[in-house]
Amino acid sequence: MKRQHVDETPAVVVATASGLFAALFGGLQPTGVTWWDPVLVAMIVGFATWVGASAAWWAVALTASVVAATSMQPIVLAVAVVVVAVALWIGTLQRPVGGVRAAVIGVALNLAAFSTLDVFDGASALAGAVAGSIAIASGLPRRRRRSRRIGAAVLGVAAGVSVVAAVGLLYSVTAAKPDLDEALTETRSAARAVRRGDFDEAASSFRRSSELLRRARSSIDRPWSGPARVVPGLSQNARAVSSVVDDSEELVQSLSDAMAAVDPSTVTLSDGRIDLVAVRRLADDLNVVEAELDELRLTLDDVESPWLVGAVQRRLDRAAADIDDNRGQLGDLSEIAELAPDMLGDAAPRRYLVMFTQPAEARGLGGFAGNFGELVLDGGEVRLDWFGRHDDLEAAVAADGASCADCPEAFLLPWGRFGFRTPDGNIGVRAWSNITMSPHLPSVAEVAEVLYPQSGRLPIDGVIVADPYVIAQLLEYTGPVRLGDGTRLARGNAADFLISGQYAIKDRDERVDVLAEAAETAMQGLLGTDLPDPVTLVEDFRVLVEEGRFLFWPLRLEEQGPFAGTALSGALDEPPGFGYIVNNAVGNKIDMHLERELVIGPGTRTTDGRATVRATITLTNAVPDGRQPNIVVGNTIGLRAGTNRMILTIYGPPEFELATLDGVPVQFDRGFEQGWVTSTLVVDLARREQRVLDLEFVGSPDGLPTWEQPLVRR
C-alpha cells in the first residue's frame, strides 16, 4: 500500500479545530456525562480528522457522501453536497493536500452532529460513526510508521478501556441481577395485590422490593462499574440501570408507606351505619397511592433507551406492563372512594332499589324480580325503608296508569312489546314482572328509574340486583334466621329453599309471605350486624359478581364512570362474541330444572373458503318424574304440564351459515340490543326432553368471548 506523506502541522491544526468545534457546538452526548462528553467528542472527531488527512480521495468522498445522504435539513444537506464536491476535486489532484482532506473529513463529521435522521433511535449517531470509521480505516494504513503506531495505540487504548468497562459493568449487573429480578417480581406482585384491594400485601411486597433494590444498587455502584460510565453505549446502560434502581428504590419505599396507610377495614357497616369520615380518609390515602404508582410508572418510562441491554429493558417493560394492567383497577377504586360519601347520603339521602331475582323463572338478567326493597342511605345511616312484591307495584300501575315514554329506546326496541310499549301509551300491568328480560342492567335500571315513581313509590338513585345465592352469602354474616313458619335458613340451605324448597308450600299467599319474609329478614339482619372489611367482602362476593348474581348500577351520570365496564355493572360486553339468554314464556318456575350446555368449536368452511364457528346449544328439561307443584310445571296457555316454553335470544353474528333445531332448519326474528345483533326463537321443551340448536357462522372459535345468563347453579 502506498504510504501518504502528510504534513502533520496543518493536519493537527485542522483536527484540533474540528474537534473543538464539535465539542462546543455539536451538542453531542455520547455518554450522558456532562463534563466528559465534550472531551470525548473532541477526541473522537479530532482523531478521525487527523487520521483522515491521509485517507484515499474516494474514502474522503464516501465519508462526505454518507453524511450528505443522512442529512435531513436543507442547509446541512447543501453544505454536505459542497463537501462531497470538494472531496471529488481532491481526486483530480496530483498532490496529497493532507490539510484539505482533513478539513473535508472534519467538516463532514461536524455536519453529522447536526443530522436529524430519525429512522430509528440513534440513527444519526450511527451515520456519524460509519462516516468516521471509513476515514480511519482508509487513512491509518496509509500513514507513515510513526503516525500509524500513534494511531494504533490510541485505538488500542480505546478498545482496552471499552473491554474493561464492559467486563466491569457485566460483573456488576450480574451480581445485582438476582436482587433486581426479585425486586421486580415483588413490584409486580404488589401491583396485582392492589388490584385485589389487598393493601397490606401490597405494602409488604413493596417493602421487600425496596430492600432488594437497595441491595442491587450496592452491587451496581461497585468501583469496577465506574469505567462503563465514560464509554458510549455502555454508559447508557450503566446510567439507566443505576437511575431506575435509585429512583425506584425511593419510590417503592414511598409506595410501601402509602400502602401501609390504607386501611379499608375502617370502612364497614356496623349497626346500620358507615363512618363517612373513614370513607374520606380512605379516599385521601388511595389518592396518595395512585400518585406514587404513577410516579413509579413514569420512572420506568424515563429510563427507556435504545442503548439499553435487551434483558434489562424486558424486565422493566414487564414491570411497567403489570402496573398498567392493574392501574385502572386502582383508579376506579380511588374514584369510587371519592364518590362514596355522596353515594352514601352525605349531602342528601340516597335511595336504591333492590331487585330480588328468582332464577327458577328465567329472565335475561338472571331471573324474575318478584320482590323489591328500598335501601336508603342518609348521612352514613343505612336502612330498609320498604319491602314489597311486584304485585304491589303492578297494582299501583293498574290503578293509576304509568308510561314508559321516557324509557331508553335501547330497551324499548327489543323488549317494548312485553308490556312497555302499548297502543294507549300506558305500560302493561305485567311490566314489572318483565323488567329483567334484558340482560343489560344499565337499561333495566333506567326503565326502573322511569317507572318506579309512577308505581306509588319515590325516585331512586340506583339499582341493586341480588338472587338467592346472594341472600345465602348474606346469611354468612347475619347467622341463621328462623322464619315465621319455623323454617331455619342458613347459608347452606337458603339458596335451595328460595329456588325450589319454598314451592312445597301449597298455599300461594303463605308461600309469598315466606319468600318475602326470608329476603326481608336477611336484609334487616344484615343492617343490624357488623360486616367484614371491604377487602373480605370483595373476595366473598367476587364469584357472585362475576356470575352476574350481585349487580349494581348508579343512575347519576357522574357516578357511573368507575362502574362502567366492570362485572358489577351488569352491562353487556361489546361485540364481537357469542352469548344467549332464555326468558320464561309461561310464568312458572320450571327453569329450576333447565339444564344448558354451550359448546364452541370450528365449523366447516364456507363455499368461498372462509372459516366458520360452530356453536351448539343443548337445552334439557330435567323435570323429575312424579307429581310436581303446579307453580313449577303448570301454565295457563294450554300446554301439557311440565312443558318449558322459552324465548331464546342469541347475541352474536348478523347471519348464520347454518341454523338447525334438532336437525331442522329454523328462522329467527332479528333485532338489535347494545350493538349486538339478536336472533330470537320460541322453543318448547316437553318434560325430560332435550333439544339441540346448531349454529354456524363466519369467524374463528379461538379466543371468541362467550357468556350465559346466571340461572340455577348445577
Coordinates of all heavy atoms in Angstrom, one line a residue, residues 613-696:
V613 N -67.4 -20.8 12.7 CA -67.5 -21.2 14.1 C -68.8 -22.1 14.2 O -69.8 -21.7 13.6 CB -67.6 -20.0 15.1 CG1 -67.8 -20.5 16.5 CG2 -66.4 -19.1 14.9
R614 N -68.7 -23.2 14.9 CA -69.9 -24.0 15.2 C -70.3 -23.8 16.7 O -69.4 -24.1 17.6 CB -69.6 -25.5 14.9 CG -70.9 -26.3 15.0 CD -70.6 -27.8 14.6 NE -71.8 -28.6 14.6 CZ -72.6 -28.8 13.5 NH1 -72.2 -28.2 12.3 NH2 -73.7 -29.5 13.5
A615 N -71.5 -23.3 16.9 CA -71.9 -23.2 18.3 C -73.1 -24.1 18.5 O -74.1 -24.1 17.7 CB -72.4 -21.7 18.5
T616 N -73.0 -25.0 19.5 CA -74.1 -25.9 19.8 C -74.6 -25.7 21.2 O -73.9 -25.7 22.2 CB -73.5 -27.4 19.7 OG1 -73.0 -27.6 18.4 CG2 -74.6 -28.4 20.0
I617 N -75.9 -25.3 21.2 CA -76.6 -25.1 22.5 C -77.5 -26.3 22.7 O -78.4 -26.6 21.9 CB -77.4 -23.8 22.4 CG1 -76.5 -22.6 22.1 CG2 -78.2 -23.6 23.7 CD1 -77.3 -21.3 21.9
T618 N -77.3 -27.0 23.8 CA -78.1 -28.1 24.2 C -79.0 -27.7 25.4 O -78.4 -27.3 26.5 CB -77.2 -29.3 24.6 OG1 -76.4 -29.6 23.5 CG2 -78.1 -30.5 24.9
L619 N -80.3 -27.9 25.3 CA -81.2 -27.5 26.3 C -82.0 -28.8 26.8 O -82.5 -29.5 25.9 CB -82.2 -26.5 25.8 CG -81.6 -25.1 25.3 CD1 -82.6 -24.3 24.5 CD2 -81.0 -24.3 26.4
T620 N -82.0 -29.0 28.1 CA -82.7 -30.2 28.6 C -83.7 -29.8 29.7 O -83.3 -29.1 30.6 CB -81.6 -31.2 29.2 OG1 -80.7 -31.5 28.2 CG2 -82.3 -32.4 29.7
N621 N -84.9 -30.2 29.5 CA -85.9 -30.0 30.5 C -85.9 -31.2 31.5 O -86.5 -32.3 31.2 CB -87.3 -29.9 29.9 CG -88.4 -29.6 30.9 OD1 -88.2 -29.5 32.1 ND2 -89.6 -29.5 30.4
A622 N -85.2 -31.1 32.6 CA -85.0 -32.2 33.5 C -86.0 -32.2 34.7 O -85.6 -32.6 35.8 CB -83.5 -32.1 34.1
V623 N -87.2 -31.9 34.4 CA -88.3 -32.0 35.4 C -88.4 -33.5 35.8 O -88.5 -34.4 35.0 CB -89.6 -31.6 34.8 CG1 -90.7 -31.8 35.8 CG2 -89.6 -30.1 34.5
P624 N -88.3 -33.8 37.1 CA -88.3 -35.2 37.5 C -89.7 -35.8 37.3 O -90.7 -35.1 37.2 CB -87.9 -35.1 39.0 CG -88.3 -33.7 39.4 CD -88.1 -32.9 38.2
D625 N -89.7 -37.1 37.2 CA -91.0 -37.8 37.1 C -91.8 -37.6 38.4 O -91.2 -37.4 39.5 CB -90.8 -39.3 36.9 CG -90.1 -39.5 35.5 OD1 -90.4 -38.7 34.6 OD2 -89.3 -40.5 35.3
G626 N -93.1 -37.8 38.4 CA -93.9 -37.7 39.6 C -94.6 -36.4 39.6 O -94.3 -35.5 38.8
R627 N -95.5 -36.3 40.6 CA -96.3 -35.1 40.7 C -95.4 -33.9 41.2 O -94.6 -34.0 42.1 CB -97.4 -35.3 41.7 CG -98.4 -34.1 41.7 CD -99.6 -34.5 42.6 NE -100.5 -33.4 42.7 CZ -101.4 -33.1 41.8 NH1 -101.5 -33.9 40.7 NH2 -102.3 -32.1 42.0
Q628 N -95.5 -32.8 40.5 CA -94.8 -31.6 40.9 C -95.8 -30.4 41.2 O -96.9 -30.4 40.6 CB -93.8 -31.1 39.8 CG -92.8 -32.2 39.4 CD -91.8 -32.4 40.5 OE1 -91.3 -31.4 41.1 NE2 -91.4 -33.6 40.8
P629 N -95.4 -29.4 42.0 CA -96.3 -28.3 42.3 C -96.7 -27.6 41.0 O -95.9 -27.5 40.1 CB -95.5 -27.4 43.2 CG -94.4 -28.3 43.8 CD -94.1 -29.3 42.8
N630 N -97.9 -27.2 40.9 CA -98.4 -26.6 39.7 C -97.7 -25.3 39.4 O -97.5 -24.9 38.2 CB -99.9 -26.3 39.9 CG -100.5 -25.8 38.5 OD1 -100.5 -26.5 37.6 ND2 -101.0 -24.5 38.5
I631 N -97.2 -24.5 40.4 CA -96.5 -23.3 40.2 C -95.2 -23.6 39.5 O -94.6 -22.7 38.8 CB -96.2 -22.5 41.5 CG1 -95.5 -21.2 41.3 CG2 -95.4 -23.4 42.5 CD1 -96.3 -20.2 40.5
V632 N -94.7 -24.8 39.6 CA -93.4 -25.2 38.9 C -93.7 -25.7 37.5 O -93.0 -25.3 36.6 CB -92.7 -26.3 39.8 CG1 -91.4 -26.7 39.0 CG2 -92.3 -25.8 41.1
V633 N -94.6 -26.6 37.3 CA -94.8 -27.2 36.0 C -96.1 -26.8 35.2 O -96.2 -27.2 34.1 CB -94.8 -28.7 36.1 CG1 -93.4 -29.2 36.7 CG2 -95.9 -29.2 37.0
G634 N -97.0 -26.1 35.9 CA -98.2 -25.7 35.2 C -98.1 -24.5 34.4 O -97.0 -23.8 34.3
N635 N -99.2 -24.2 33.6 CA -99.2 -23.0 32.8 C -100.7 -22.6 32.5 O -101.5 -23.5 32.8 CB -98.4 -23.1 31.5 CG -98.9 -24.2 30.6 OD1 -99.9 -24.0 29.9 ND2 -98.3 -25.4 30.7
T636 N -100.9 -21.4 32.0 CA -102.3 -21.0 31.8 C -102.6 -20.9 30.3 O -103.6 -20.2 29.9 CB -102.5 -19.6 32.4 OG1 -101.6 -18.7 31.9 CG2 -102.4 -19.8 33.9
I637 N -101.7 -21.4 29.4 CA -101.9 -21.3 28.0 C -102.2 -22.6 27.3 O -102.1 -22.7 26.1 CB -100.7 -20.6 27.3 CG1 -99.4 -21.4 27.5 CG2 -100.6 -19.2 27.9 CD1 -98.2 -20.8 26.8
G638 N -102.5 -23.6 28.1 CA -102.9 -24.9 27.5 C -101.8 -25.9 27.1 O -102.1 -26.9 26.5
L639 N -100.6 -25.6 27.5 CA -99.5 -26.6 27.2 C -99.6 -27.7 28.2 O -100.1 -27.6 29.3 CB -98.2 -25.9 27.4 CG -97.9 -24.8 26.4 CD1 -96.5 -24.2 26.7 CD2 -97.9 -25.3 24.9
R640 N -99.1 -28.9 27.8 CA -99.0 -30.0 28.7 C -98.2 -29.7 30.0 O -97.2 -29.0 29.9 CB -98.5 -31.2 28.0 CG -98.4 -32.5 28.9 CD -97.7 -33.6 28.1 NE -98.5 -34.0 26.9 CZ -99.5 -34.9 26.9 NH1 -99.8 -35.5 28.1 NH2 -100.1 -35.2 25.8
A641 N -98.7 -30.1 31.1 CA -97.9 -29.9 32.4 C -96.5 -30.4 32.2 O -96.3 -31.5 31.7 CB -98.6 -30.5 33.6
G642 N -95.6 -29.6 32.7 CA -94.1 -30.0 32.6 C -93.4 -29.5 31.4 O -92.2 -29.7 31.2
T643 N -94.2 -28.7 30.5 CA -93.6 -28.2 29.3 C -92.9 -26.9 29.7 O -93.4 -26.0 30.4 CB -94.6 -27.9 28.2 OG1 -95.2 -29.2 27.9 CG2 -94.0 -27.3 27.0
N644 N -91.7 -26.7 29.2 CA -90.9 -25.5 29.3 C -91.0 -24.7 28.0 O -90.3 -25.1 27.0 CB -89.5 -25.7 29.7 CG -88.7 -24.5 30.1 OD1 -89.0 -23.4 29.6 ND2 -87.7 -24.6 31.0
R645 N -91.7 -23.6 28.0 CA -91.7 -22.7 26.8 C -90.8 -21.5 27.1 O -91.0 -20.8 28.1 CB -93.1 -22.3 26.4 CG -93.1 -21.2 25.3 CD -94.4 -21.0 24.7 NE -94.9 -22.1 23.9 CZ -96.0 -22.2 23.2 NH1 -96.9 -21.1 23.3 NH2 -96.3 -23.2 22.5
M646 N -89.8 -21.3 26.2 CA -88.9 -20.2 26.5 C -88.7 -19.3 25.2 O -89.0 -19.8 24.1 CB -87.5 -20.8 26.9 CG -86.8 -21.6 25.8 SD -85.3 -22.3 26.3 CE -85.9 -23.6 27.4
I647 N -88.3 -18.1 25.5 CA -87.9 -17.2 24.4 C -86.4 -17.2 24.4 O -85.8 -16.7 25.3 CB -88.5 -15.8 24.6 CG1 -90.0 -15.8 24.7 CG2 -88.1 -14.9 23.5 CD1 -90.6 -14.5 25.2
L648 N -85.8 -17.8 23.4 CA -84.4 -18.0 23.3 C -83.8 -16.9 22.4 O -84.3 -16.7 21.3 CB -84.0 -19.3 22.7 CG -82.6 -19.6 22.4 CD1 -81.7 -19.7 23.6 CD2 -82.4 -20.9 21.6
T649 N -82.9 -16.1 22.9 CA -82.3 -15.0 22.2 C -80.8 -15.2 22.1 O -80.1 -15.3 23.1 CB -82.6 -13.6 22.8 OG1 -84.0 -13.5 23.0 CG2 -82.1 -12.5 22.0
I650 N -80.3 -15.2 20.8 CA -78.9 -15.3 20.6 C -78.3 -13.9 20.4 O -78.9 -13.1 19.7 CB -78.6 -16.1 19.3 CG1 -79.4 -17.5 19.3 CG2 -77.1 -16.3 19.1 CD1 -78.9 -18.4 20.4
Y651 N -77.2 -13.7 21.0 CA -76.4 -12.4 20.8 C -75.1 -12.8 20.0 O -74.3 -13.5 20.6 CB -76.1 -11.8 22.1 CG -77.3 -11.2 22.8 CD1 -78.2 -12.0 23.5 CD2 -77.5 -9.8 22.8 CE1 -79.3 -11.5 24.1 CE2 -78.6 -9.3 23.5 CZ -79.5 -10.2 24.1 OH -80.6 -9.7 24.8
G652 N -75.0 -12.4 18.8 CA -73.9 -12.9 18.0 C -73.8 -12.3 16.6 O -73.9 -11.1 16.4
P653 N -73.5 -13.2 15.6 CA -73.3 -12.7 14.3 C -74.5 -12.1 13.6 O -75.6 -12.5 14.0 CB -72.7 -13.9 13.6 CG -73.4 -15.0 14.3 CD -73.5 -14.6 15.7
P654 N -74.4 -11.3 12.6 CA -75.5 -10.8 11.8 C -76.2 -11.9 11.0 O -77.4 -11.7 10.7 CB -74.9 -9.7 10.9 CG -73.5 -10.1 10.8 CD -73.1 -10.7 12.1
E655 N -75.6 -12.9 10.7 CA -76.2 -14.0 9.9 C -75.5 -15.3 10.2 O -74.4 -15.4 10.6 CB -76.2 -13.7 8.4 CG -74.8 -13.6 7.8 CD -74.8 -13.2 6.3 OE1 -75.9 -12.7 5.9 OE2 -73.8 -13.5 5.7
F656 N -76.3 -16.4 9.9 CA -75.8 -17.8 10.2 C -75.6 -18.5 8.8 O -76.5 -18.4 7.9 CB -76.7 -18.6 11.1 CG -76.8 -18.0 12.5 CD1 -78.0 -17.4 12.8 CD2 -75.8 -18.1 13.4 CE1 -78.2 -16.9 14.1 CE2 -75.9 -17.5 14.6 CZ -77.1 -16.9 15.0
E657 N -74.5 -19.2 8.7 CA -74.4 -20.1 7.5 C -75.3 -21.3 7.7 O -75.7 -21.9 6.7 CB -72.9 -20.6 7.4 CG -71.9 -19.4 7.3 CD -72.1 -18.7 6.0 OE1 -72.3 -19.4 4.9 OE2 -72.0 -17.5 6.0
L658 N -75.5 -21.7 9.0 CA -76.4 -22.9 9.3 C -77.1 -22.6 10.6 O -76.5 -22.1 11.5 CB -75.5 -24.1 9.4 CG -76.2 -25.4 10.0 CD1 -77.1 -26.0 8.9 CD2 -75.1 -26.4 10.4
A659 N -78.4 -22.9 10.6 CA -79.2 -22.8 11.8 C -80.2 -23.9 11.9 O -81.2 -23.9 11.1 CB -79.8 -21.4 11.9
T660 N -80.0 -24.9 12.7 CA -81.0 -26.0 12.8 C -81.3 -26.3 14.3 O -80.5 -26.1 15.2 CB -80.4 -27.3 12.2 OG1 -79.3 -27.7 12.9 CG2 -80.0 -27.1 10.7
L661 N -82.6 -26.7 14.5 CA -83.0 -27.1 15.8 C -83.4 -28.6 15.7 O -84.3 -28.9 14.9 CB -84.2 -26.3 16.3 CG -84.8 -26.7 17.7 CD1 -83.7 -26.5 18.8 CD2 -86.0 -25.9 18.0
D662 N -82.6 -29.5 16.3 CA -82.8 -30.9 16.2 C -82.7 -31.3 14.7 O -83.5 -32.2 14.2 CB -84.2 -31.4 16.7 CG -84.3 -31.0 18.2 OD1 -83.3 -31.1 18.9 OD2 -85.4 -30.8 18.7
G663 N -81.8 -30.7 14.0 CA -81.6 -31.0 12.6 C -82.5 -30.4 11.6 O -82.3 -30.5 10.4
V664 N -83.5 -29.6 12.1 CA -84.5 -29.0 11.2 C -84.1 -27.5 11.1 O -84.0 -26.8 12.1 CB -85.9 -29.1 11.7 CG1 -86.9 -28.4 10.8 CG2 -86.2 -30.6 11.8
P665 N -84.0 -27.0 9.8 CA -83.7 -25.5 9.7 C -84.7 -24.6 10.4 O -85.9 -24.9 10.4 CB -83.7 -25.3 8.2 CG -83.4 -26.7 7.6 CD -84.0 -27.6 8.5
V666 N -84.2 -23.6 11.0 CA -85.1 -22.6 11.7 C -84.8 -21.2 11.2 O -83.8 -20.9 10.7 CB -84.9 -22.7 13.2 CG1 -85.3 -24.0 13.8 CG2 -83.4 -22.4 13.6
Q667 N -85.9 -20.4 11.4 CA -85.8 -18.9 11.1 C -85.9 -18.1 12.4 O -86.7 -18.5 13.3 CB -86.9 -18.5 10.1 CG -86.8 -19.2 8.8 CD -85.6 -18.8 8.0 OE1 -85.2 -17.6 8.0 NE2 -85.0 -19.7 7.2
F668 N -85.1 -17.1 12.5 CA -85.1 -16.3 13.7 C -85.8 -14.9 13.4 O -85.8 -14.4 12.3 CB -83.7 -16.0 14.1 CG -82.9 -17.2 14.6 CD1 -82.0 -17.9 13.8 CD2 -83.1 -17.6 15.9 CE1 -81.3 -19.0 14.3 CE2 -82.4 -18.7 16.4 CZ -81.5 -19.4 15.6
D669 N -86.3 -14.3 14.5 CA -86.7 -12.9 14.4 C -85.4 -12.1 14.8 O -84.8 -12.3 15.8 CB -87.8 -12.6 15.5 CG -89.1 -13.2 15.1 OD1 -89.3 -13.4 13.9 OD2 -89.9 -13.5 16.0
R670 N -85.1 -11.2 13.9 CA -83.8 -10.4 14.1 C -84.1 -9.1 14.8 O -85.2 -8.5 14.6 CB -83.2 -10.1 12.7 CG -82.8 -11.4 11.9 CD -81.6 -12.1 12.6 NE -81.2 -13.3 11.8 CZ -80.0 -13.8 11.9 NH1 -79.1 -13.3 12.6 NH2 -79.8 -14.9 11.1
G671 N -83.1 -8.7 15.6 CA -83.2 -7.4 16.3 C -81.9 -6.9 16.7 O -80.8 -7.5 16.3
F672 N -81.9 -5.9 17.5 CA -80.6 -5.3 18.0 C -80.7 -4.9 19.4 O -81.8 -4.5 19.9 CB -80.3 -4.0 17.2 CG -80.2 -4.3 15.7 CD1 -81.3 -4.2 14.8 CD2 -78.9 -4.6 15.1 CE1 -81.2 -4.4 13.5 CE2 -78.8 -4.9 13.8 CZ -79.9 -4.8 12.9
E673 N -79.6 -5.0 20.2 CA -79.5 -4.6 21.5 C -78.1 -4.3 21.9 O -77.2 -5.1 21.8 CB -80.1 -5.6 22.5 CG -80.1 -5.0 24.0 CD -80.8 -5.9 25.0 OE1 -81.2 -7.0 24.6 OE2 -81.1 -5.4 26.1
Q674 N -77.8 -3.0 22.3 CA -76.5 -2.6 22.7 C -75.4 -3.0 21.8 O -74.3 -3.5 22.2 CB -76.2 -3.2 24.1 CG -77.2 -2.8 25.2 CD -77.2 -1.3 25.4 OE1 -76.2 -0.6 25.4 NE2 -78.4 -0.7 25.6
G675 N -75.6 -2.8 20.5 CA -74.6 -3.1 19.5 C -74.6 -4.5 19.0 O -73.8 -4.8 18.0
W676 N -75.3 -5.4 19.6 CA -75.4 -6.8 19.2 C -76.5 -7.0 18.2 O -77.6 -6.4 18.4 CB -75.6 -7.7 20.4 CG -74.5 -7.8 21.4 CD1 -74.2 -6.9 22.4 CD2 -73.5 -8.7 21.4 NE1 -73.1 -7.3 23.1 CE2 -72.6 -8.5 22.5 CE3 -73.2 -9.8 20.6 CZ2 -71.5 -9.2 22.8 CZ3 -72.1 -10.6 20.9 CH2 -71.2 -10.3 22.0
V677 N -76.3 -7.9 17.3 CA -77.4 -8.4 16.5 C -78.1 -9.6 17.3 O -77.3 -10.5 17.8 CB -76.9 -8.9 15.1 CG1 -78.1 -9.6 14.4 CG2 -76.3 -7.8 14.3
T678 N -79.4 -9.5 17.5 CA -80.1 -10.6 18.2 C -80.9 -11.4 17.3 O -81.5 -11.0 16.3 CB -81.0 -10.0 19.3 OG1 -82.0 -9.2 18.7 CG2 -80.2 -9.1 20.3
S679 N -81.0 -12.7 17.6 CA -81.7 -13.7 16.9 C -82.6 -14.5 17.8 O -82.1 -15.1 18.7 CB -80.8 -14.7 16.1 OG -79.9 -14.0 15.3
T680 N -83.9 -14.3 17.7 CA -84.9 -14.8 18.7 C -85.7 -15.9 18.2 O -86.2 -15.9 17.0 CB -85.7 -13.7 19.3 OG1 -84.9 -12.7 19.8 CG2 -86.7 -14.1 20.3
L681 N -86.0 -16.9 19.0 CA -86.8 -18.1 18.6 C -87.5 -18.6 19.8 O -87.0 -18.6 21.0 CB -85.8 -19.2 18.1 CG -86.4 -20.5 17.7 CD1 -87.1 -20.3 16.3 CD2 -85.2 -21.5 17.5
V682 N -88.8 -19.0 19.7 CA -89.5 -19.6 20.8 C -89.3 -21.1 20.7 O -89.4 -21.7 19.7 CB -91.0 -19.3 20.6 CG1 -91.8 -20.1 21.7 CG2 -91.3 -17.8 20.8
V683 N -88.9 -21.7 21.9 CA -88.6 -23.1 21.9 C -89.4 -23.8 23.0 O -89.5 -23.2 24.1 CB -87.1 -23.3 22.2 CG1 -86.8 -24.8 22.4 CG2 -86.2 -22.7 21.2
D684 N -90.1 -24.9 22.7 CA -90.8 -25.7 23.7 C -90.0 -26.9 24.0 O -89.5 -27.6 23.1 CB -92.2 -26.1 23.1 CG -93.2 -25.0 23.1 OD1 -92.9 -23.9 23.7 OD2 -94.3 -25.2 22.6
L685 N -89.9 -27.2 25.3 CA -89.3 -28.4 25.8 C -90.3 -29.2 26.6 O -90.7 -28.8 27.6 CB -88.1 -28.1 26.7 CG -86.8 -27.6 26.0 CD1 -85.8 -27.3 27.1 CD2 -86.2 -28.7 25.1
A686 N -90.6 -30.4 26.1 CA -91.5 -31.3 26.9 C -90.8 -31.8 28.1 O -89.5 -31.8 28.2 CB -92.1 -32.4 26.0
R687 N -91.5 -32.4 29.0 CA -90.9 -33.0 30.2 C -89.8 -34.0 29.8 O -90.1 -34.9 28.9 CB -91.9 -33.7 31.1 CG -91.4 -34.2 32.4 CD -92.5 -35.1 33.0 NE -93.6 -34.3 33.5 CZ -93.9 -34.0 34.7 NH1 -93.1 -34.4 35.7 NH2 -95.0 -33.4 35.0
R688 N -88.6 -33.9 30.3 CA -87.5 -34.8 30.1 C -87.0 -34.7 28.7 O -86.2 -35.6 28.2 CB -87.9 -36.3 30.4 CG -88.5 -36.5 31.7 CD -87.7 -36.2 32.9 NE -86.5 -37.0 33.0 CZ -85.6 -36.9 34.0 NH1 -85.6 -35.9 34.8 NH2 -84.6 -37.7 34.0
E689 N -87.4 -33.7 27.9 CA -86.9 -33.6 26.5 C -85.6 -32.8 26.4 O -85.4 -31.9 27.2 CB -88.0 -32.9 25.7 CG -87.6 -32.9 24.2 CD -88.6 -32.2 23.3 OE1 -89.5 -31.5 23.9 OE2 -88.6 -32.3 22.1
Q690 N -84.8 -33.2 25.5 CA -83.6 -32.5 25.2 C -83.6 -32.0 23.7 O -83.9 -32.8 22.8 CB -82.3 -33.4 25.4 CG -81.0 -32.7 25.1 CD -79.8 -33.6 25.4 OE1 -79.4 -34.3 24.5 NE2 -79.3 -33.6 26.6
R691 N -83.2 -30.8 23.5 CA -83.2 -30.2 22.1 C -81.9 -29.6 21.9 O -81.3 -29.0 22.8 CB -84.4 -29.2 21.9 CG -85.7 -29.8 22.3 CD -86.9 -29.0 21.7 NE -86.9 -29.1 20.2 CZ -87.9 -28.5 19.5 NH1 -88.8 -27.8 20.1 NH2 -87.9 -28.7 18.2
V692 N -81.4 -29.7 20.6 CA -80.1 -29.2 20.3 C -80.2 -28.2 19.1 O -80.8 -28.4 18.1 CB -79.2 -30.3 19.8 CG1 -77.8 -29.8 19.4 CG2 -79.1 -31.4 20.9
L693 N -79.7 -27.0 19.4 CA -79.6 -25.9 18.4 C -78.2 -25.8 17.9 O -77.3 -25.6 18.6 CB -80.0 -24.6 19.0 CG -80.0 -23.4 18.1 CD1 -81.1 -23.5 17.0 CD2 -80.3 -22.1 18.9
D694 N -78.0 -26.1 16.6 CA -76.7 -26.0 15.9 C -76.7 -24.7 15.1 O -77.5 -24.5 14.2 CB -76.5 -27.2 15.1 CG -76.0 -28.4 15.9 OD1 -75.1 -28.2 16.7 OD2 -76.4 -29.5 15.6
L695 N -75.6 -24.0 15.3 CA -75.4 -22.7 14.5 C -74.0 -22.7 13.9 O -73.0 -23.2 14.6 CB -75.6 -21.5 15.4 CG -76.9 -21.4 16.2 CD1 -76.8 -20.3 17.2 CD2 -78.1 -21.2 15.2
E696 N -73.8 -22.2 12.7 CA -72.5 -22.0 12.2 C -72.5 -20.6 11.6 O -73.5 -20.1 11.0 CB -72.2 -23.0 11.1 CG -71.7 -24.3 11.6 CD -71.0 -25.1 10.5 OE1 -70.4 -24.5 9.6 OE2 -70.9 -26.4 10.7

